[in-house]
Amino acid sequence: MKIYADRFPTAARQLLTDLLVVAWVYASIRFALWLHDLVQKLAVPGKKLEGAGGGLADNLADAGGKVGRVPLVGDELTAPFTKAAEAARAVAEAGRDQQQLVEQLALALAVAVLIFPLGLVLFGWLPLRVRWMRRAGAAKRLAAAPAGRDLLALRALTGQPLGRLARVAPDVAEAWRRGDDETLDALAALELRRLGLRGSR
């Protein structure tokens, strides 16, 4: 007896779900990287500040060195240049600190954005996928066993929707009790198809 396939078989649903999960993870990673790069742009003022402060400090130190060579008053004239150079180095250090802070913020935000989608995959989808793979593997091994067809038929009889069972035979329970081969084959195939597997016949 012919068994009508589901409009959207389990195997197709599993494949579609897997593709959606892959797309979800890829999109999440791309968004996290985009957010990281966006926040990193906030470090540009810090880089400019570091460059300007460092350059100014070098110029002031160089000028102070030249002024220090003036006889008699060189040491007194060097002091303001030294203090100004130290202030410029402090500005450059502030620029470096700002860049480090932005880098830490960008990394923290990227990780925070990834926690939710990857958590759904690792703790939601993955356990269900592994459980399905185990069930499907067990059913496949059972189908190859001598009495596996009968057990799969019994499982289909107790777990499949009534409308689907009615399409197998008018009195499917009676046919199962009689051990009707055609009914048993159809029930076993129905159960295997529920797990995304193909029946042996």
Side-chain angles (χ1 to χ4, degrees), residues 121-158:
V121 171
L122 292 176
F123 301 107
W125 170 81
L126 188 59
L128 294 176
R129 191 70 169 91
V130 171
R131 195 178 311 153
W132 174 82
M133 290 172 65
R134 288 177 178 171
R135 286 202 312 262
K140 193 173 182 179
R141 290 190 298 271
L142 188 61
R149 181 195 65 169
D150 296 346
L151 291 174
L152 287 171
L154 177 60
R155 187 176 179 86
L157 196 62
T158 58

PDB file of all heavy atoms in Angstrom, residues 121-158:
ATOM      1  N   VAL A 121      22.531  28.480  19.674  1.00  0.00           N
ATOM      2  CA  VAL A 121      22.987  27.357  18.852  1.00  0.00           C
ATOM      3  C   VAL A 121      23.552  26.241  19.715  1.00  0.00           C
ATOM      4  O   VAL A 121      23.214  25.062  19.549  1.00  0.00           O
ATOM      5  CB  VAL A 121      24.045  27.837  17.828  1.00  0.00           C
ATOM      6  CG1 VAL A 121      24.680  26.652  17.110  1.00  0.00           C
ATOM      7  CG2 VAL A 121      23.397  28.764  16.814  1.00  0.00           C
ATOM      8  N   LEU A 122      24.420  26.603  20.669  1.00  0.00           N
ATOM      9  CA  LEU A 122      25.114  25.595  21.468  1.00  0.00           C
ATOM     10  C   LEU A 122      24.198  24.903  22.471  1.00  0.00           C
ATOM     11  O   LEU A 122      24.318  23.698  22.706  1.00  0.00           O
ATOM     12  CB  LEU A 122      26.297  26.234  22.201  1.00  0.00           C
ATOM     13  CG  LEU A 122      27.460  26.702  21.322  1.00  0.00           C
ATOM     14  CD1 LEU A 122      28.521  27.399  22.155  1.00  0.00           C
ATOM     15  CD2 LEU A 122      28.065  25.521  20.574  1.00  0.00           C
ATOM     16  N   PHE A 123      23.271  25.667  23.064  1.00  0.00           N
ATOM     17  CA  PHE A 123      22.440  25.105  24.125  1.00  0.00           C
ATOM     18  C   PHE A 123      20.992  24.850  23.698  1.00  0.00           C
ATOM     19  O   PHE A 123      20.225  24.259  24.444  1.00  0.00           O
ATOM     20  CB  PHE A 123      22.453  26.028  25.348  1.00  0.00           C
ATOM     21  CG  PHE A 123      23.819  26.254  25.908  1.00  0.00           C
ATOM     22  CD1 PHE A 123      24.465  27.461  25.733  1.00  0.00           C
ATOM     23  CD2 PHE A 123      24.478  25.244  26.582  1.00  0.00           C
ATOM     24  CE1 PHE A 123      25.748  27.671  26.227  1.00  0.00           C
ATOM     25  CE2 PHE A 123      25.757  25.435  27.089  1.00  0.00           C
ATOM     26  CZ  PHE A 123      26.390  26.647  26.909  1.00  0.00           C
ATOM     27  N   GLY A 124      20.637  25.306  22.503  1.00  0.00           N
ATOM     28  CA  GLY A 124      19.278  25.071  22.010  1.00  0.00           C
ATOM     29  C   GLY A 124      19.243  24.101  20.846  1.00  0.00           C
ATOM     30  O   GLY A 124      18.724  22.993  20.943  1.00  0.00           O
ATOM     31  N   TRP A 125      19.840  24.523  19.723  1.00  0.00           N
ATOM     32  CA  TRP A 125      19.777  23.703  18.517  1.00  0.00           C
ATOM     33  C   TRP A 125      20.669  22.466  18.592  1.00  0.00           C
ATOM     34  O   TRP A 125      20.243  21.371  18.221  1.00  0.00           O
ATOM     35  CB  TRP A 125      20.178  24.553  17.315  1.00  0.00           C
ATOM     36  CG  TRP A 125      20.383  23.768  16.060  1.00  0.00           C
ATOM     37  CD1 TRP A 125      19.420  23.330  15.202  1.00  0.00           C
ATOM     38  CD2 TRP A 125      21.619  23.298  15.527  1.00  0.00           C
ATOM     39  NE1 TRP A 125      19.976  22.626  14.169  1.00  0.00           N
ATOM     40  CE2 TRP A 125      21.334  22.589  14.339  1.00  0.00           C
ATOM     41  CE3 TRP A 125      22.948  23.411  15.944  1.00  0.00           C
ATOM     42  CZ2 TRP A 125      22.328  22.004  13.581  1.00  0.00           C
ATOM     43  CZ3 TRP A 125      23.939  22.834  15.174  1.00  0.00           C
ATOM     44  CH2 TRP A 125      23.619  22.136  14.004  1.00  0.00           C
ATOM     45  N   LEU A 126      21.907  22.611  19.053  1.00  0.00           N
ATOM     46  CA  LEU A 126      22.867  21.507  19.014  1.00  0.00           C
ATOM     47  C   LEU A 126      22.411  20.288  19.815  1.00  0.00           C
ATOM     48  O   LEU A 126      22.481  19.160  19.306  1.00  0.00           O
ATOM     49  CB  LEU A 126      24.238  21.985  19.486  1.00  0.00           C
ATOM     50  CG  LEU A 126      25.386  20.992  19.319  1.00  0.00           C
ATOM     51  CD1 LEU A 126      25.551  20.597  17.856  1.00  0.00           C
ATOM     52  CD2 LEU A 126      26.682  21.573  19.873  1.00  0.00           C
ATOM     53  N   PRO A 127      21.924  20.445  21.060  1.00  0.00           N
ATOM     54  CA  PRO A 127      21.447  19.247  21.783  1.00  0.00           C
ATOM     55  C   PRO A 127      20.296  18.549  21.051  1.00  0.00           C
ATOM     56  O   PRO A 127      20.246  17.310  21.018  1.00  0.00           O
ATOM     57  CB  PRO A 127      20.989  19.805  23.137  1.00  0.00           C
ATOM     58  CG  PRO A 127      21.765  21.066  23.305  1.00  0.00           C
ATOM     59  CD  PRO A 127      21.906  21.632  21.919  1.00  0.00           C
ATOM     60  N   LEU A 128      19.377  19.332  20.478  1.00  0.00           N
ATOM     61  CA  LEU A 128      18.272  18.728  19.736  1.00  0.00           C
ATOM     62  C   LEU A 128      18.777  17.991  18.504  1.00  0.00           C
ATOM     63  O   LEU A 128      18.288  16.903  18.169  1.00  0.00           O
ATOM     64  CB  LEU A 128      17.272  19.811  19.310  1.00  0.00           C
ATOM     65  CG  LEU A 128      16.513  20.508  20.438  1.00  0.00           C
ATOM     66  CD1 LEU A 128      15.636  21.613  19.881  1.00  0.00           C
ATOM     67  CD2 LEU A 128      15.681  19.508  21.225  1.00  0.00           C
ATOM     68  N   ARG A 129      19.778  18.579  17.840  1.00  0.00           N
ATOM     69  CA  ARG A 129      20.339  17.945  16.638  1.00  0.00           C
ATOM     70  C   ARG A 129      21.036  16.636  16.990  1.00  0.00           C
ATOM     71  O   ARG A 129      20.884  15.630  16.307  1.00  0.00           O
ATOM     72  CB  ARG A 129      21.334  18.917  15.977  1.00  0.00           C
ATOM     73  CG  ARG A 129      21.785  18.469  14.587  1.00  0.00           C
ATOM     74  CD  ARG A 129      20.624  18.592  13.616  1.00  0.00           C
ATOM     75  NE  ARG A 129      21.054  18.438  12.244  1.00  0.00           N
ATOM     76  CZ  ARG A 129      21.076  17.272  11.594  1.00  0.00           C
ATOM     77  NH1 ARG A 129      20.708  16.166  12.203  1.00  0.00           N
ATOM     78  NH2 ARG A 129      21.449  17.214  10.339  1.00  0.00           N
ATOM     79  N   VAL A 130      21.806  16.654  18.080  1.00  0.00           N
ATOM     80  CA  VAL A 130      22.506  15.436  18.508  1.00  0.00           C
ATOM     81  C   VAL A 130      21.503  14.366  18.921  1.00  0.00           C
ATOM     82  O   VAL A 130      21.658  13.182  18.595  1.00  0.00           O
ATOM     83  CB  VAL A 130      23.476  15.764  19.663  1.00  0.00           C
ATOM     84  CG1 VAL A 130      24.041  14.488  20.272  1.00  0.00           C
ATOM     85  CG2 VAL A 130      24.611  16.654  19.156  1.00  0.00           C
ATOM     86  N   ARG A 131      20.438  14.788  19.611  1.00  0.00           N
ATOM     87  CA  ARG A 131      19.411  13.824  20.032  1.00  0.00           C
ATOM     88  C   ARG A 131      18.733  13.195  18.820  1.00  0.00           C
ATOM     89  O   ARG A 131      18.487  11.988  18.779  1.00  0.00           O
ATOM     90  CB  ARG A 131      18.384  14.545  20.906  1.00  0.00           C
ATOM     91  CG  ARG A 131      17.470  13.596  21.694  1.00  0.00           C
ATOM     92  CD  ARG A 131      16.517  14.386  22.573  1.00  0.00           C
ATOM     93  NE  ARG A 131      17.243  15.390  23.344  1.00  0.00           N
ATOM     94  CZ  ARG A 131      16.709  16.517  23.777  1.00  0.00           C
ATOM     95  NH1 ARG A 131      15.441  16.809  23.471  1.00  0.00           N
ATOM     96  NH2 ARG A 131      17.421  17.374  24.469  1.00  0.00           N
ATOM     97  N   TRP A 132      18.433  14.021  17.813  1.00  0.00           N
ATOM     98  CA  TRP A 132      17.815  13.493  16.590  1.00  0.00           C
ATOM     99  C   TRP A 132      18.756  12.527  15.891  1.00  0.00           C
ATOM    100  O   TRP A 132      18.330  11.471  15.404  1.00  0.00           O
ATOM    101  CB  TRP A 132      17.442  14.635  15.653  1.00  0.00           C
ATOM    102  CG  TRP A 132      16.948  14.133  14.330  1.00  0.00           C
ATOM    103  CD1 TRP A 132      15.688  13.705  14.035  1.00  0.00           C
ATOM    104  CD2 TRP A 132      17.714  13.964  13.133  1.00  0.00           C
ATOM    105  NE1 TRP A 132      15.622  13.289  12.725  1.00  0.00           N
ATOM    106  CE2 TRP A 132      16.849  13.432  12.154  1.00  0.00           C
ATOM    107  CE3 TRP A 132      19.035  14.207  12.798  1.00  0.00           C
ATOM    108  CZ2 TRP A 132      17.280  13.152  10.859  1.00  0.00           C
ATOM    109  CZ3 TRP A 132      19.461  13.929  11.506  1.00  0.00           C
ATOM    110  CH2 TRP A 132      18.591  13.405  10.562  1.00  0.00           C
ATOM    111  N   MET A 133      20.048  12.863  15.823  1.00  0.00           N
ATOM    112  CA  MET A 133      21.006  11.982  15.174  1.00  0.00           C
ATOM    113  C   MET A 133      21.091  10.636  15.891  1.00  0.00           C
ATOM    114  O   MET A 133      21.194   9.584  15.248  1.00  0.00           O
ATOM    115  CB  MET A 133      22.384  12.656  15.129  1.00  0.00           C
ATOM    116  CG  MET A 133      22.450  13.840  14.185  1.00  0.00           C
ATOM    117  SD  MET A 133      23.994  14.774  14.319  1.00  0.00           S
ATOM    118  CE  MET A 133      25.159  13.542  13.758  1.00  0.00           C
ATOM    119  N   ARG A 134      21.029  10.664  17.207  1.00  0.00           N
ATOM    120  CA  ARG A 134      21.067   9.402  17.962  1.00  0.00           C
ATOM    121  C   ARG A 134      19.816   8.571  17.704  1.00  0.00           C
ATOM    122  O   ARG A 134      19.897   7.354  17.514  1.00  0.00           O
ATOM    123  CB  ARG A 134      21.209   9.701  19.458  1.00  0.00           C
ATOM    124  CG  ARG A 134      22.592  10.204  19.853  1.00  0.00           C
ATOM    125  CD  ARG A 134      22.634  10.543  21.324  1.00  0.00           C
ATOM    126  NE  ARG A 134      23.969  10.974  21.728  1.00  0.00           N
ATOM    127  CZ  ARG A 134      24.255  11.492  22.909  1.00  0.00           C
ATOM    128  NH1 ARG A 134      23.293  11.644  23.819  1.00  0.00           N
ATOM    129  NH2 ARG A 134      25.484  11.864  23.201  1.00  0.00           N
ATOM    130  N   ARG A 135      18.658   9.242  17.710  1.00  0.00           N
ATOM    131  CA  ARG A 135      17.409   8.519  17.456  1.00  0.00           C
ATOM    132  C   ARG A 135      17.393   7.932  16.053  1.00  0.00           C
ATOM    133  O   ARG A 135      16.985   6.793  15.841  1.00  0.00           O
ATOM    134  CB  ARG A 135      16.202   9.439  17.653  1.00  0.00           C
ATOM    135  CG  ARG A 135      15.889   9.749  19.098  1.00  0.00           C
ATOM    136  CD  ARG A 135      14.444  10.194  19.262  1.00  0.00           C
ATOM    137  NE  ARG A 135      14.059  11.201  18.292  1.00  0.00           N
ATOM    138  CZ  ARG A 135      14.045  12.502  18.535  1.00  0.00           C
ATOM    139  NH1 ARG A 135      14.421  12.956  19.714  1.00  0.00           N
ATOM    140  NH2 ARG A 135      13.662  13.351  17.617  1.00  0.00           N
ATOM    141  N   ALA A 136      17.840   8.750  15.083  1.00  0.00           N
ATOM    142  CA  ALA A 136      17.856   8.278  13.705  1.00  0.00           C
ATOM    143  C   ALA A 136      18.844   7.127  13.531  1.00  0.00           C
ATOM    144  O   ALA A 136      18.564   6.153  12.821  1.00  0.00           O
ATOM    145  CB  ALA A 136      18.217   9.430  12.765  1.00  0.00           C
ATOM    146  N   GLY A 137      20.001   7.222  14.195  1.00  0.00           N
ATOM    147  CA  GLY A 137      20.984   6.142  14.115  1.00  0.00           C
ATOM    148  C   GLY A 137      20.460   4.855  14.739  1.00  0.00           C
ATOM    149  O   GLY A 137      20.651   3.759  14.189  1.00  0.00           O
ATOM    150  N   ALA A 138      19.775   5.009  15.878  1.00  0.00           N
ATOM    151  CA  ALA A 138      19.205   3.824  16.520  1.00  0.00           C
ATOM    152  C   ALA A 138      18.122   3.199  15.654  1.00  0.00           C
ATOM    153  O   ALA A 138      18.032   1.969  15.530  1.00  0.00           O
ATOM    154  CB  ALA A 138      18.636   4.212  17.886  1.00  0.00           C
ATOM    155  N   ALA A 139      17.291   4.035  15.026  1.00  0.00           N
ATOM    156  CA  ALA A 139      16.238   3.511  14.155  1.00  0.00           C
ATOM    157  C   ALA A 139      16.824   2.825  12.929  1.00  0.00           C
ATOM    158  O   ALA A 139      16.314   1.793  12.470  1.00  0.00           O
ATOM    159  CB  ALA A 139      15.307   4.651  13.733  1.00  0.00           C
ATOM    160  N   LYS A 140      17.912   3.378  12.412  1.00  0.00           N
ATOM    161  CA  LYS A 140      18.551   2.766  11.247  1.00  0.00           C
ATOM    162  C   LYS A 140      19.126   1.397  11.594  1.00  0.00           C
ATOM    163  O   LYS A 140      19.011   0.438  10.822  1.00  0.00           O
ATOM    164  CB  LYS A 140      19.651   3.693  10.733  1.00  0.00           C
ATOM    165  CG  LYS A 140      20.182   3.325   9.363  1.00  0.00           C
ATOM    166  CD  LYS A 140      21.130   4.393   8.861  1.00  0.00           C
ATOM    167  CE  LYS A 140      21.626   4.055   7.464  1.00  0.00           C
ATOM    168  NZ  LYS A 140      22.542   5.101   6.954  1.00  0.00           N
ATOM    169  N   ARG A 141      19.757   1.305  12.765  1.00  0.00           N
ATOM    170  CA  ARG A 141      20.278  -0.001  13.202  1.00  0.00           C
ATOM    171  C   ARG A 141      19.140  -0.975  13.463  1.00  0.00           C
ATOM    172  O   ARG A 141      19.244  -2.165  13.167  1.00  0.00           O
ATOM    173  CB  ARG A 141      21.129   0.175  14.460  1.00  0.00           C
ATOM    174  CG  ARG A 141      22.445   0.889  14.211  1.00  0.00           C
ATOM    175  CD  ARG A 141      23.344   0.823  15.433  1.00  0.00           C
ATOM    176  NE  ARG A 141      22.758   1.477  16.588  1.00  0.00           N
ATOM    177  CZ  ARG A 141      22.908   2.761  16.876  1.00  0.00           C
ATOM    178  NH1 ARG A 141      23.622   3.542  16.066  1.00  0.00           N
ATOM    179  NH2 ARG A 141      22.355   3.275  17.950  1.00  0.00           N
ATOM    180  N   LEU A 142      18.048  -0.454  14.022  1.00  0.00           N
ATOM    181  CA  LEU A 142      16.904  -1.310  14.310  1.00  0.00           C
ATOM    182  C   LEU A 142      16.275  -1.835  13.026  1.00  0.00           C
ATOM    183  O   LEU A 142      15.835  -2.995  12.961  1.00  0.00           O
ATOM    184  CB  LEU A 142      15.867  -0.520  15.113  1.00  0.00           C
ATOM    185  CG  LEU A 142      14.676  -1.297  15.669  1.00  0.00           C
ATOM    186  CD1 LEU A 142      15.149  -2.377  16.631  1.00  0.00           C
ATOM    187  CD2 LEU A 142      13.721  -0.343  16.367  1.00  0.00           C
ATOM    188  N   ALA A 143      16.249  -0.999  11.995  1.00  0.00           N
ATOM    189  CA  ALA A 143      15.652  -1.417  10.725  1.00  0.00           C
ATOM    190  C   ALA A 143      16.435  -2.562  10.095  1.00  0.00           C
ATOM    191  O   ALA A 143      15.879  -3.374   9.354  1.00  0.00           O
ATOM    192  CB  ALA A 143      15.585  -0.232   9.762  1.00  0.00           C
ATOM    193  N   ALA A 144      17.727  -2.612  10.400  1.00  0.00           N
ATOM    194  CA  ALA A 144      18.557  -3.675   9.831  1.00  0.00           C
ATOM    195  C   ALA A 144      18.482  -4.968  10.642  1.00  0.00           C
ATOM    196  O   ALA A 144      18.939  -6.015  10.175  1.00  0.00           O
ATOM    197  CB  ALA A 144      20.011  -3.211   9.744  1.00  0.00           C
ATOM    198  N   ALA A 145      17.906  -4.909  11.831  1.00  0.00           N
ATOM    199  CA  ALA A 145      17.800  -6.102  12.677  1.00  0.00           C
ATOM    200  C   ALA A 145      16.656  -6.993  12.192  1.00  0.00           C
ATOM    201  O   ALA A 145      15.713  -6.514  11.551  1.00  0.00           O
ATOM    202  CB  ALA A 145      17.576  -5.697  14.129  1.00  0.00           C
ATOM    203  N   PRO A 146      16.700  -8.290  12.504  1.00  0.00           N
ATOM    204  CA  PRO A 146      15.655  -9.219  12.034  1.00  0.00           C
ATOM    205  C   PRO A 146      14.244  -8.809  12.460  1.00  0.00           C
ATOM    206  O   PRO A 146      13.312  -8.847  11.671  1.00  0.00           O
ATOM    207  CB  PRO A 146      16.076 -10.554  12.656  1.00  0.00           C
ATOM    208  CG  PRO A 146      17.556 -10.431  12.850  1.00  0.00           C
ATOM    209  CD  PRO A 146      17.806  -9.000  13.178  1.00  0.00           C
ATOM    210  N   ALA A 147      14.104  -8.452  13.735  1.00  0.00           N
ATOM    211  CA  ALA A 147      12.770  -8.080  14.225  1.00  0.00           C
ATOM    212  C   ALA A 147      12.580  -6.566  14.265  1.00  0.00           C
ATOM    213  O   ALA A 147      11.617  -6.084  14.860  1.00  0.00           O
ATOM    214  CB  ALA A 147      12.550  -8.661  15.618  1.00  0.00           C
ATOM    215  N   GLY A 148      13.483  -5.846  13.632  1.00  0.00           N
ATOM    216  CA  GLY A 148      13.415  -4.392  13.695  1.00  0.00           C
ATOM    217  C   GLY A 148      12.184  -3.813  13.045  1.00  0.00           C
ATOM    218  O   GLY A 148      11.599  -2.850  13.524  1.00  0.00           O
ATOM    219  N   ARG A 149      11.764  -4.430  11.935  1.00  0.00           N
ATOM    220  CA  ARG A 149      10.583  -3.923  11.237  1.00  0.00           C
ATOM    221  C   ARG A 149       9.365  -3.955  12.155  1.00  0.00           C
ATOM    222  O   ARG A 149       8.577  -2.998  12.203  1.00  0.00           O
ATOM    223  CB  ARG A 149      10.310  -4.766   9.994  1.00  0.00           C
ATOM    224  CG  ARG A 149       9.110  -4.298   9.192  1.00  0.00           C
ATOM    225  CD  ARG A 149       8.649  -5.329   8.202  1.00  0.00           C
ATOM    226  NE  ARG A 149       8.144  -6.531   8.879  1.00  0.00           N
ATOM    227  CZ  ARG A 149       7.476  -7.502   8.255  1.00  0.00           C
ATOM    228  NH1 ARG A 149       7.281  -7.442   6.954  1.00  0.00           N
ATOM    229  NH2 ARG A 149       7.034  -8.558   8.916  1.00  0.00           N
ATOM    230  N   ASP A 150       9.204  -5.037  12.908  1.00  0.00           N
ATOM    231  CA  ASP A 150       8.034  -5.149  13.787  1.00  0.00           C
ATOM    232  C   ASP A 150       8.061  -4.090  14.886  1.00  0.00           C
ATOM    233  O   ASP A 150       7.023  -3.507  15.232  1.00  0.00           O
ATOM    234  CB  ASP A 150       7.989  -6.544  14.407  1.00  0.00           C
ATOM    235  CG  ASP A 150       7.794  -7.630  13.358  1.00  0.00           C
ATOM    236  OD1 ASP A 150       7.436  -7.270  12.209  1.00  0.00           O
ATOM    237  OD2 ASP A 150       8.005  -8.804  13.677  1.00  0.00           O
ATOM    238  N   LEU A 151       9.249  -3.836  15.441  1.00  0.00           N
ATOM    239  CA  LEU A 151       9.351  -2.834  16.501  1.00  0.00           C
ATOM    240  C   LEU A 151       9.099  -1.424  15.963  1.00  0.00           C
ATOM    241  O   LEU A 151       8.434  -0.613  16.616  1.00  0.00           O
ATOM    242  CB  LEU A 151      10.732  -2.905  17.154  1.00  0.00           C
ATOM    243  CG  LEU A 151      10.998  -4.164  17.986  1.00  0.00           C
ATOM    244  CD1 LEU A 151      12.449  -4.197  18.456  1.00  0.00           C
ATOM    245  CD2 LEU A 151      10.057  -4.211  19.187  1.00  0.00           C
ATOM    246  N   LEU A 152       9.618  -1.153  14.775  1.00  0.00           N
ATOM    247  CA  LEU A 152       9.361   0.149  14.171  1.00  0.00           C
ATOM    248  C   LEU A 152       7.880   0.321  13.846  1.00  0.00           C
ATOM    249  O   LEU A 152       7.312   1.412  14.012  1.00  0.00           O
ATOM    250  CB  LEU A 152      10.194   0.311  12.897  1.00  0.00           C
ATOM    251  CG  LEU A 152      11.696   0.535  13.090  1.00  0.00           C
ATOM    252  CD1 LEU A 152      12.429   0.456  11.761  1.00  0.00           C
ATOM    253  CD2 LEU A 152      11.964   1.872  13.765  1.00  0.00           C
ATOM    254  N   ALA A 153       7.258  -0.754  13.389  1.00  0.00           N
ATOM    255  CA  ALA A 153       5.824  -0.695  13.099  1.00  0.00           C
ATOM    256  C   ALA A 153       5.029  -0.420  14.367  1.00  0.00           C
ATOM    257  O   ALA A 153       4.076   0.373  14.366  1.00  0.00           O
ATOM    258  CB  ALA A 153       5.372  -2.007  12.455  1.00  0.00           C
ATOM    259  N   LEU A 154       5.414  -1.066  15.470  1.00  0.00           N
ATOM    260  CA  LEU A 154       4.736  -0.836  16.743  1.00  0.00           C
ATOM    261  C   LEU A 154       4.925   0.608  17.206  1.00  0.00           C
ATOM    262  O   LEU A 154       3.983   1.241  17.694  1.00  0.00           O
ATOM    263  CB  LEU A 154       5.279  -1.800  17.805  1.00  0.00           C
ATOM    264  CG  LEU A 154       4.705  -1.637  19.213  1.00  0.00           C
ATOM    265  CD1 LEU A 154       3.192  -1.839  19.212  1.00  0.00           C
ATOM    266  CD2 LEU A 154       5.385  -2.606  20.172  1.00  0.00           C
ATOM    267  N   ARG A 155       6.122   1.112  17.039  1.00  0.00           N
ATOM    268  CA  ARG A 155       6.382   2.505  17.427  1.00  0.00           C
ATOM    269  C   ARG A 155       5.549   3.475  16.587  1.00  0.00           C
ATOM    270  O   ARG A 155       5.020   4.456  17.101  1.00  0.00           O
ATOM    271  CB  ARG A 155       7.868   2.806  17.278  1.00  0.00           C
ATOM    272  CG  ARG A 155       8.276   4.160  17.808  1.00  0.00           C
ATOM    273  CD  ARG A 155       9.773   4.339  17.723  1.00  0.00           C
ATOM    274  NE  ARG A 155      10.178   5.643  18.200  1.00  0.00           N
ATOM    275  CZ  ARG A 155      10.430   5.954  19.461  1.00  0.00           C
ATOM    276  NH1 ARG A 155      10.330   5.008  20.385  1.00  0.00           N
ATOM    277  NH2 ARG A 155      10.794   7.164  19.817  1.00  0.00           N
ATOM    278  N   ALA A 156       5.440   3.187  15.287  1.00  0.00           N
ATOM    279  CA  ALA A 156       4.604   4.032  14.434  1.00  0.00           C
ATOM    280  C   ALA A 156       3.150   3.947  14.854  1.00  0.00           C
ATOM    281  O   ALA A 156       2.431   4.949  14.871  1.00  0.00           O
ATOM    282  CB  ALA A 156       4.766   3.601  12.974  1.00  0.00           C
ATOM    283  N   LEU A 157       2.707   2.748  15.211  1.00  0.00           N
ATOM    284  CA  LEU A 157       1.313   2.548  15.597  1.00  0.00           C
ATOM    285  C   LEU A 157       0.963   3.329  16.857  1.00  0.00           C
ATOM    286  O   LEU A 157      -0.163   3.812  17.010  1.00  0.00           O
ATOM    287  CB  LEU A 157       1.067   1.049  15.817  1.00  0.00           C
ATOM    288  CG  LEU A 157      -0.387   0.581  15.858  1.00  0.00           C
ATOM    289  CD1 LEU A 157      -1.084   0.861  14.540  1.00  0.00           C
ATOM    290  CD2 LEU A 157      -0.438  -0.907  16.184  1.00  0.00           C
ATOM    291  N   THR A 158       1.925   3.484  17.748  1.00  0.00           N
ATOM    292  CA  THR A 158       1.654   4.194  19.007  1.00  0.00           C
ATOM    293  C   THR A 158       1.992   5.677  18.965  1.00  0.00           C
ATOM    294  O   THR A 158       1.556   6.417  19.846  1.00  0.00           O
ATOM    295  CB  THR A 158       2.470   3.553  20.152  1.00  0.00           C
ATOM    296  OG1 THR A 158       3.859   3.604  19.825  1.00  0.00           O
ATOM    297  CG2 THR A 158       2.054   2.111  20.374  1.00  0.00           C
TER     298      THR A 158
END
